[in-house]
Amino acid sequence: QVQLVESGGGLVQTGGSLRLSCAASGSIFTIITMGWYRQAPGKQRDLVATITSRGSTNFADSVKGRFTISRDNAKNTVHLQMNSLKPEDTAVYYCKIVDELGGIYWGQGTQVTVSS
């Protein structure tokens, strides 16, 4: 079974930074896309950022200029660097991967809390 292990969440003050990491392991084909989604209480799960195996990136408008995404293909790992954090960034962040055959896998989620 595919396993996604997330780390780096926590509590930070407004304007601070956090770096999330997600490492994939187990029975999986070549990863095509890796990314992060987030879900705040009472809201739907929305895209934050994605990156393809070729390095193409996509960001939600709300995080452009503040967040960056990167990956290490050899280690099947994706990182999300979050800078200038705001209280509205508070959410559970979920790692997502899409493999070569269209398989979709989700991490368990990691809490990010930004205080005023």
Side-chain angles (χ1 to χ4, degrees):
Q1 185 177 8
V2 174
Q3 182 180 14
L4 305 182
V5 179
E6 299 166 311
S7 62
L11 174 64
V12 67
Q13 295 182 351
T14 297
S17 298
L18 287 172
R19 190 168 101 128
L20 305 183
S21 298
C22 175
S25 62
S27 181
I28 188 171
F29 293 96
T30 301
I31 296 172
I32 301 300
T33 303
M34 307 186 76
W36 294 91
Y37 290 67
R38 66 187 182 186
Q39 186 169 19
K43 298 182 178 180
Q44 67 181 19
R45 187 177 299 183
D46 292 326
L47 180 147
V48 178
T50 60
I51 184 168
T52 71
S53 59
R54 295 186 177 183
S56 297
T57 58
N58 183 45
F59 296 90
D61 288 342
S62 60
V63 306
K64 288 181 179 177
R66 299 189 297 120
F67 291 10
T68 58
I69 188 169
S70 61
R71 66 186 293 174
D72 185 335
N73 291 333
K75 297 181 178 180
N76 287 337
T77 300
V78 62
H79 306 280
L80 183 69
Q81 179 67 46
M82 305 185 293
N83 299 321
S84 301
L85 283 163
K86 306 174 181 178
E88 50 263 45
D89 295 318
T90 296
V92 177
Y93 284 69
Y94 296 90
C95 179
K96 177 188 177 182
I97 62 173
V98 180
D99 71 15
E100 192 175 27
L101 299 182
I104 300 174
Y105 306 93
W106 292 92
Q108 80 287 347
T110 184
Q111 178 70 47
V112 171
T113 302
V114 184
S115 63
S116 301

